[in-house]
Amino acid sequence: MNTIFAADINWGLGKKNDLLFSLKKDMKHFVEHTKGKTVIMGYNTLLSFPGGMPLRNRKNIVLYPQGDEKDAEEKGYILVKSLEELFSVLKDEDTDNVYVIGGAMMYRTMLPYCKFAYVTKVNADGGAEVFHENLDKLPEWELIEKGDAEDDNGFEIRFCTYKNNDIKPMI
């Protein structure tokens, strides 16, 4: 399993249930990684998408303990109400093709189970309300690839890849 996100200089992720920046190159990067794959998210992340609809061309799994089966069926996502249920759904998946895409609680919960983190680092302070753990300070995470600085909508970004050297097994 993998995770993918954009973070500001403080590892900020978002505010007011939205992204901090509008970045075309980052969005293209996100689509390239996740299209045709399985994405895992919390319910607030689902609600942040246009019309509260799941992402097209992906299998969408939403972890939401108070979730409504009817909503999931009507919108076309897989609802899981616990980590155990999520792990059960994932047991038949090729976890190399599974991406955790938000929000902050999902990132925190799923990070130990992820093999790679694909991070778009934005060289700016986005005034975030929610944050990701700083992977540079976690001993099990190693920066294995750091892209060149690029401009994306007036912001300097770098595509970085981190590897988890102590993946927790899904039980």
Side-chain angles (χ1 to χ4, degrees):
M1 181 174 349
N2 308 291
T3 183
I4 187 167
F5 58 93
D8 73 2
I9 57 172
N10 301 307
W11 290 84
L13 294 171
K15 62 182 171 187
K16 295 185 171 73
N17 203 33
D18 202 358
L19 301 174
L20 296 175
F21 310 99
S22 177
L23 304 169
K24 286 183 172 33
K25 290 179 183 177
D26 174 57
M27 198 55 61
K28 182 178 181 218
H29 177 73
F30 176 85
V31 170
E32 287 171 354
H33 274 278
T34 64
K35 190 173 182 180
K37 313 262 174 70
T38 297
V39 294
I40 302 169
M41 70 196 87
Y43 191 65
N44 283 338
T45 298
L46 176 68
L47 291 179
S48 74
F49 298 149
M53 296 299 289
L55 297 175
R56 290 189 320 246
N57 303 312
R58 297 159 186 87
K59 181 190 281 188
N60 291 256
I61 301 174
V62 177
L63 175 61
Y64 184 44
Q66 298 80 30
D68 178 356
E69 299 287 347
K70 186 176 182 203
D71 183 63
E73 189 175 316
E74 287 173 359
K75 290 183 178 178
Y77 64 88
I78 297 167
L79 172 67
V80 294
K81 296 186 176 191
S82 67
L83 268 186
E84 295 76 22
E85 190 177 351
L86 174 61
F87 292 160
S88 177
V89 168
L90 291 176
K91 76 179 183 320
D92 296 326
E93 294 280 331
D94 174 0
T95 54
D96 288 343
N97 292 320
V98 175
Y99 288 81
V100 178
I101 64 167
M105 181 60 77
M106 283 299 298
Y107 288 129
R108 236 182 330 277
T109 302
M110 301 306 294
L111 189 63
Y113 305 98
C114 292
K115 182 176 183 179
F116 294 104
Y118 299 97
V119 183
T120 302
K121 289 188 173 182
V122 183
N123 190 20
D125 183 341
E129 297 172 343
V130 293
F131 297 85
H132 196 284
E133 290 181 82
N134 182 336
L135 298 182
D136 294 318
K137 293 185 176 181
L138 296 178
E140 64 273 20
W141 286 90
E142 170 188 7
L143 177 63
I144 60 169
E145 187 177 335
K146 182 177 181 179
D148 294 332
E150 302 180 39
D151 178 76
D152 193 350
N153 199 22
F155 295 99
E156 179 186 293
I157 66 166
R158 289 180 191 270
F159 296 114
C160 298
T161 304
Y162 288 81
K163 182 179 181 201
N164 183 351
N165 293 309
D166 189 21
I167 303 165
K168 187 175 179 180
M170 291 185 286
I171 303 171

